[in-house]
């Protein structure tokens, strides 16, 4: 593609600046208001100033002045048929400007994530206490039996670890005996029982896999969703 400049211009290596159109002046606006009162409401439109017409028409396109004027009339008619809002909407569409910014509701109701974290941790603690209670109830009989002996820890070892002792219980599978010994020993010594006990929790549905973590996440997400609904209602936003 080649570009040829008009040799009659003072500086052929320069392109004339674009002269913009204009919206109506305050006087014209007052005239529109008067027409509106009479029931003849005009539409806002863009007009190409005479200065702009004169500047651009110095170099008519191929086809002469008549062709240029015809093009200008078409442009003027197109712009004149648009309201200011239509024009701005077109510009936003062409520029890719979003019509409305999306609100980050999560950041609005919980900007520093403290509500989410607190709800998550509260759920974890609550679940752990529940699991701990179930496990301690499961071993309560073994605990009471050991505590009736003058040497509770020695009794545990003799019943669940030493196969040669008179009170050794061989009817319990080896792995289950080990769990019983460890858990009851923790209860006697004041330690927290292990929450991953496969025997005490069997059939309860508690602490299966990473269920505690999933439940805590669901609780935290539910709390944030409830706060978002409240915030939207307060802001008059329609709920989906």
């Amino acid at each position: 593609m080649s570009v040829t400049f008009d040799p009659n211009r003072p500086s052929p290596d320069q392109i004339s600046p674009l002269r913009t159109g204009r919206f109506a002046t305050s006087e014209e606006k007052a005239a529109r208001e008067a027409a509106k009162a009479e029931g003849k409401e005009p539409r806002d439109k863009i007009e190409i100033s005479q200065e702009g017409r004169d500047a651009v028409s110095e170099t008519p396109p191929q086809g002469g002045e008549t062709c240029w004027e015809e093009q200008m009339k078409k442009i003027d008619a197109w712009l004149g048929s648009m309201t200011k809002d239509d024009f701005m909407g077109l510009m936003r569409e062409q520029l890719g400007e979003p019509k409305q910014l999306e609100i980050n509701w999560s950041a609005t109701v919980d900007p520093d994530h403290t509500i989410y974290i607190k709800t998550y941790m509260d759920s974890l603690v609550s679940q752990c206490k529940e699991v701990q209670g179930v496990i301690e109830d499961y071993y309560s009989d073994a605990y009471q039996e050991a505590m009736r002996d003058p040497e509770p820890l020695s009794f545990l070892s003799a019943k669940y670890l030493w196969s040669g002792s008179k009170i050794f219980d061989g009817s319990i599978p080896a792995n289950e005996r080990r769990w019983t010994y460890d858990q009851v020993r923790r209860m006697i010594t004041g330690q927290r029982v292990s929450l991953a006990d496969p025997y005490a929790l069997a059939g309860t549905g508690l602490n299966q896999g990473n269920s505690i973590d999933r439940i805590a996440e669901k609780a935290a997400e539910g709390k944030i969703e409830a706060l978002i609904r409240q915030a939207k209602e307060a802001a008059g936003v329609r709920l989906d």
Side-chain angles (χ1 to χ4, degrees), residues 2-63:
S2 61
V3 178
T4 303
F5 294 99
D6 185 353
N8 295 324
R9 289 185 178 275
S11 179
D13 59 342
Q14 299 293 324
I15 299 177
S16 296
L18 178 64
R19 307 299 178 91
T20 62
R22 67 178 182 85
F23 291 107
T25 64
S26 58
E27 291 79 5
E28 292 168 335
K29 181 178 179 180
R32 289 201 306 271
E33 292 296 333
K36 180 179 180 181
E38 297 177 0
K40 300 178 180 180
E41 181 178 1
R43 306 178 73 193
D44 292 334
K45 66 178 183 177
I46 299 174
E47 299 177 357
I48 304 298
S49 66
Q50 187 59 46
E51 181 184 9
R53 293 171 181 271
D54 294 341
V56 177
S57 62
E58 292 177 5
T59 308
Q62 185 176 1

Side-chain angles (χ1 to χ4, degrees), residues 152-163 165 167-168 181:
L153 295 180
S154 296
F155 176 85
L156 282 180
S157 297
K159 183 170 184 176
Y160 298 106
L161 298 182
W162 301 340
S163 60
S165 73
I167 61 173
F168 178 76
Y181 171 81

Side-chain angles (χ1 to χ4, degrees), residues 20 38 64-65 90 103 109-110 112 127 138 144 149 158 163 169 212 223:
T20 62
E38 297 177 0
E65 297 287 344
L90 179 62
I103 296 177
V109 301
D110 189 22
D112 55 1
Q127 291 183 79
Y138 181 82
Q144 294 295 335
D149 190 273
S163 60
D169 190 351
I212 288 181
K223 178 67 174 180

Side-chain angles (χ1 to χ4, degrees), residues 30-218:
R32 289 201 306 271
E33 292 296 333
K36 180 179 180 181
E38 297 177 0
K40 300 178 180 180
E41 181 178 1
R43 306 178 73 193
D44 292 334
K45 66 178 183 177
I46 299 174
E47 299 177 357
I48 304 298
S49 66
Q50 187 59 46
E51 181 184 9
R53 293 171 181 271
D54 294 341
V56 177
S57 62
E58 292 177 5
T59 308
Q62 185 176 1
E65 297 287 344
T66 301
C67 180
W68 177 256
E69 287 299 326
E70 290 178 356
Q71 293 295 328
M72 288 300 298
K73 288 179 181 179
K74 291 181 181 179
I75 295 174
D76 196 17
W78 175 67
L79 293 175
S81 66
M82 303 175 66
T83 65
K84 182 169 61 178
D85 290 340
D86 291 338
F87 176 76
M88 296 307 297
L90 179 62
M91 292 302 296
R92 283 194 294 267
E93 181 180 345
Q94 293 295 324
L95 295 174
E97 179 183 340
K99 294 182 179 180
Q100 183 177 0
L101 294 177
E102 183 69 23
I103 296 177
N104 186 339
W105 288 102
S106 295
T108 300
V109 301
D110 189 22
D112 55 1
H113 309 294
T114 54
I115 297 176
Y116 183 98
I117 294 173
K118 183 179 184 304
T119 306
Y120 180 89
M121 296 304 298
D122 287 348
S123 177
L124 282 182
V125 171
S126 177
Q127 291 183 79
C128 288
K129 287 183 177 179
E130 180 183 4
V131 172
Q132 181 178 350
V134 169
I135 293 174
E136 290 177 352
D137 287 345
Y138 181 82
Y139 291 108
S140 62
D141 290 344
Y143 170 78
Q144 294 295 335
E145 182 184 30
M147 292 301 294
R148 287 193 293 266
D149 190 273
E151 298 290 337
L153 295 180
S154 296
F155 176 85
L156 282 180
S157 297
K159 183 170 184 176
Y160 298 106
L161 298 182
W162 301 340
S163 60
S165 73
K166 294 180 180 179
I167 61 173
F168 178 76
D169 190 351
S171 65
I172 304 175
N175 193 55
E176 186 175 353
R177 282 201 314 271
R178 184 69 202 192
W179 269 100
T180 302
Y181 171 81
D182 288 340
Q183 297 288 56
V184 176
R185 186 178 186 280
R186 287 170 179 268
M187 293 169 65
I188 293 173
T189 57
Q191 301 179 60
R192 182 175 64 82
V193 296
S194 172
L195 302 183
D197 191 319
Y199 300 100
L201 299 178
T204 65
L206 297 173
N207 198 20
Q208 301 298 311
N210 60 343
S211 62
I212 288 181
D213 182 64
R214 290 198 304 269
I215 293 172
E217 287 180 353
K218 187 175 180 180

